Amino acid sequence: TQLLEQSPQFLSIQEGENLTVYCNSSSVFSSLQWYRQEPGEGPVLLVTVVTGGEVKKLKRLTFQFGDARKDSSLHITAAQPGDTGLYLCAGAGPSGTYKYIFGTGTRLKVLA
Amino acid sequence: DAGVIQSPRHEVTEMGQEVTLRCKPISGHDYLFWYRQTMMRGLELLIYFNNNVPIDDSGMPEDRFSAKMPNASFSTLKIQPSEPRDSAVYFCASRSQGLGTGELFFGEGSRLTVL
């Protein structure tokens, strides 16, 4: 069974601080996604990474896929209250399957 | 364009009752997923369909759960009989094989409470 462990589980920081969220597994994924979920809503895609070592930037968010495609990180620079939410990583199995397994989640709260 | 539509948004029922959750995927999407989310277990994949055919139902907890997709625009998840431990938010998501990002589009979820 593929498992995705995220750390930390909870994070409360002040506006303007930087943070990094980690997503780790012992399994190899063909691609990995990051989603953000707000209360009462479904998760919304932030980014998809496919190539080992790939780095993608989305404004103040930087995503990295591990070289071995088993782990990923999300770094937020100068966090803002609008970044508050549940961050989820999701891994897809071997190419040709669409079984997305979600991580345990990181609940972020950014205080003004 | 309309997103994934789920109903009901909230359901409160008593143990032993039958529960049916409904989902209308985004038009043109050929994959449909049912997930369950709880604080303890996070977001778990229950089953997914491709072109209305169930591909993997290994996440369905037990025989009390069943899912159908009679056509490309409708799917149901049924729990019979329901138990308190089934209380969770159930999400439906769809995607298109043709989309390069592999993005899953989620509905707003159905919050189920079994008393």
Side-chain angles (χ1 to χ4, degrees):
Chain A
T1 303
Q2 294 176 311
L3 293 174
L4 280 166
E5 296 285 339
Q6 288 185 236
S7 61
Q9 276 188 286
F10 301 95
L11 193 54
S12 181
I13 61 172
Q14 293 293 132
E15 182 177 4
E17 292 184 11
N18 301 332
L19 68 119
T20 301
V21 176
Y22 299 93
C23 173
N24 294 294
S25 176
S26 58
S27 301
V28 175
F29 294 98
S30 60
S31 64
L32 195 136
Q33 300 177 328
W34 284 92
Y35 288 79
R36 182 169 71 203
Q37 184 180 17
E38 299 190 21
E41 299 180 7
V44 176
L45 180 71
L46 296 173
V47 77
T48 300
V49 285
V50 178
T51 306
E54 183 176 2
V55 177
K56 279 192 175 179
K57 292 193 174 185
L58 185 66
K59 297 183 180 178
R60 294 175 294 100
L61 279 60
T62 301
F63 305 85
Q64 184 162 9
F65 201 10
D67 291 341
R69 292 186 288 133
K70 292 183 179 181
D71 55 84
S72 181
S73 63
L74 157 60
H75 182 80
I76 301 179
T77 303
Q80 299 177 0
D83 297 327
T84 294
L86 177 66
Y87 288 81
L88 297 160
C89 61
S95 180
T97 69
Y98 295 93
K99 188 172 179 177
Y100 290 87
I101 305 300
F102 278 78
T104 48
T106 294
R107 199 167 294 276
L108 171 66
K109 187 168 185 177
V110 182
L111 306 170
Chain B
D1 287 341
V4 175
I5 299 172
Q6 292 187 244
S7 64
R9 288 296 312 277
H10 302 274
E11 172 118 5
V12 180
T13 190
E14 292 190 345
M15 182 174 63
Q17 296 298 306
E18 177 179 296
V19 173
T20 299
L21 307 178
R22 298 171 178 80
C23 174
K24 177 178 168 54
I26 293 173
S27 177
H29 281 192
D30 46 7
Y31 283 85
L32 183 139
F33 303 78
W34 281 101
Y35 284 88
R36 176 173 69 176
Q37 187 174 40
T38 61
M39 285 294 291
M40 290 297 294
R41 300 175 67 89
L43 199 59
E44 301 174 279
L45 176 64
L46 300 177
I47 184 171
Y48 78 94
F49 296 82
N50 177 216
N51 291 324
N52 315 336
V53 176
I55 302 302
D56 188 330
D57 65 354
S58 59
M60 295 286 262
E62 48 199 272
D63 292 344
R64 297 184 299 106
F65 285 69
S66 62
K68 294 182 180 179
M69 192 164 186
N71 57 63
S73 58
F74 184 66
S75 177
T76 59
L77 178 67
K78 186 174 293 186
I79 309 172
Q80 166 63 17
S82 58
E83 296 183 3
R85 59 185 166 139
D86 301 330
S87 297
V89 181
Y90 290 81
F91 286 100
C92 175
S94 69
R95 65 154 282 173
S96 169
Q97 184 170 1
L99 265 184
T101 63
E103 179 174 2
L104 292 179
F105 292 83
F106 283 82
E108 293 184 309
S110 294
R111 180 176 294 276
L112 172 65
T113 303
V114 183
L115 303 174

